[in-house]
Amino acid sequence: MEKKSVIIDCDPGQDDAIAILLALASGEEIDLLGITTVAGNVPLVLTESNARRICELANRTDVKVFAGASRPLMRKLVTAEWIHGKSGLDGANLPDPTMPQQDQHAVDFIIDTCLAVEDNTITICPIGPMTNIALAFMKEPAIIPKIAQIVCMGGAVKEYGNTTPAAEFNIYEDPQAAKVVLDAGIDFVMMPLDVTHKALVTKERLKRLKDLNSPVGDVCDGMLDYFNRFDMTKYGFEGGPLHDPCAIAYLIDPTLFSGRKVHLDIEVLSELTMGKTVADWWNVNDEEPNAFVCNDLNVEGFFDLLTERLGRLK
Ligand code: RIB
Ligand code: CA
């Protein structure tokens, strides 16, 4: 499979952190052009510095990290300290970063990177609210043809919402941005809660990371031990759902996942169902499919890949 030129847009967040580490350990499949950060799980000042903390943990101070939007396009920022802790990376116990934050705004980095390449070259991987991506499309629509694929973590189709009864956090945080991105007509792959709620970090899987006996394994163990608590209590799961790494794993080995090409739309008007991702699974409206929505994965294969790749980071 040809190596993909990837921009990860994220709001670290423990699961974002694992996703970044997976990408950094997968140089055969992913040429990580840069990491753009957005307010989401915690405010931007933390998501941005957390991204740099994770790059330093992986000894990758060469990675360019950019700060982006500090709030959604139209709505008030809603953060998720109740899941991720005040720092956004509770359990990691990482020092303040020393590698520099890039001066350029994340939106301008996305635009400049895309304008510099041929059509259908860039893969964008949003694993937080899609505010930066939407702003980039609105500021410079000429970048849209440059993007080969968008692989995002977000949404909930058959699953109930995790932030409101109807909506998943990333889409609920900025539904207007998600709709701008979806409506751009780019090859769109969505990893909703329907699949990420099957990627559970059970005790056995967590022990495999601890048994890596490496700084990365130890930090992942600490982060996920913290991250697991909320969802295991709330949903009665046998582990926390590893949302964001599903999007990166798809870039590495899409055969780990299954789903369906459907027509997808996003609620941006009703407050009751704001951010609901509506997939026409049975094509009742006979509308052109515009998204590949994943709803299942080879969970042992996923954790085998994750553990093997994280084991490469010394
Ligand atoms: O709903 C899960 C998503 O919201 C994940 O991306 C998590 O990091 C939070 O951003
Ligand atoms: Ca995230």
Side-chain angles (χ1 to χ4, degrees), residues 265-276:
D265 205 346
I266 296 165
E267 177 62 73
V268 291
L269 297 174
S270 151
E271 200 51 50
L272 175 64
T273 53
M274 184 62 70
K276 170 73 185 153

Side-chain angles (χ1 to χ4, degrees), residues 176-187:
Q176 287 77 15
K179 188 157 173 63
V180 165
V181 175
L182 176 64
D183 290 353
I186 297 166
D187 180 351

Side-chain angles (χ1 to χ4, degrees), residues 11 13 15-16 41 84 127-129 153 162 168-170 193 243-244:
D11 62 334
D15 58 322
D16 302 70
N41 286 321
H84 300 275
I127 51 176
M153 188 279 140
N162 63 1
E168 174 278 331
F169 180 83
N170 288 339
L193 298 181
H243 305 290
D244 295 337

Side-chain angles (χ1 to χ4, degrees), residues 134-148:
L135 286 169
F137 288 4
M138 293 158 82
K139 181 173 180 183
E140 184 46 86
I143 68 171
I144 291 173
K146 308 290 187 174
I147 300 165

